[in-house]
Amino acid sequence: IFSFDGSGDYVAITKVSAEHYKKNSDGSSIWEVHTGFAIHADKDNYLIFGIGSKDAGAIVSRKKINGALVDNGAGYLKTHGSITVGADVWLKIEKTGNIYTCSYSLDGETYTPAIENYEFANDSARLGIYSGSTSNDHGIGGTFKTLTITRPVKEVEIDSVSVEGDGAISATI
């Protein structure tokens, strides 16, 4: 859906929700929605972190390094916690160097770590948001309500500052 240059350090936070729309006659879902962040170098190297909803909601992740799935639990996705389907969830990715920490919040204030100190040694990886379903014949049901990406401000030491007669300010760094 959207991606940007993921090099350098950043903190990205999005508020999302996901619904399931297609149901069986017994009320259970017949397809699953995934909505969240994707850190993507190429088809063989990525990390997804988001919410999944089918009959129940969950915080999920999937890692693929050099074409091999890594630490994905018993199946396609690793589950980190339960959520209510359709509820708002805040997802946060913090990147320092090549180390990623992914966490989630149900209130936008208190975050629970899901993936800590994960090294993804590819600084050209892009950060993006995604939403998709596990069925090819149904629409996507994820909603992104907010997205903020913050990069740290670098501190600069100033040797001297001078003010000219016309009010212009100059600094020596």
Side-chain angles (χ1 to χ4, degrees), residues 1-3 12-19 21 33-38 48-51 86-93 127-132 140-149:
I1 295 176
F2 162 83
S3 71
I13 299 173
T14 187
K15 180 179 173 184
V16 298
S17 67
E19 296 284 348
Y21 295 103
V33 171
H34 301 278
T35 302
F37 282 118
I48 62 170
F49 174 65
I51 58 175
D88 290 339
V89 177
W90 287 258
L91 303 172
K92 178 166 64 173
I93 292 184
L127 171 68
I129 56 174
Y130 75 96
S131 190
I140 297 169
T143 302
F144 292 89
K145 298 182 177 183
T146 62
L147 173 64
T148 59
I149 300 167

Side-chain angles (χ1 to χ4, degrees), residues 94-157:
E94 298 174 82
K95 178 182 181 256
T96 304
N98 288 326
I99 305 297
Y100 294 83
T101 299
C102 303
S103 55
Y104 65 96
S105 174
L106 303 179
D107 62 10
E109 294 181 22
T110 305
Y111 284 84
T112 301
I115 300 170
E116 295 184 88
N117 301 318
Y118 178 66
E119 185 171 2
F120 190 69
N122 189 324
D123 202 44
S124 66
R126 298 183 65 77
L127 171 68
I129 56 174
Y130 75 96
S131 190
S133 76
T134 57
S135 174
N136 292 330
D137 61 347
H138 296 97
I140 297 169
T143 302
F144 292 89
K145 298 182 177 183
T146 62
L147 173 64
T148 59
I149 300 167
T150 307
R151 292 189 181 265
V153 176
K154 294 184 179 181
E155 292 184 26
V156 177
E157 189 172 315

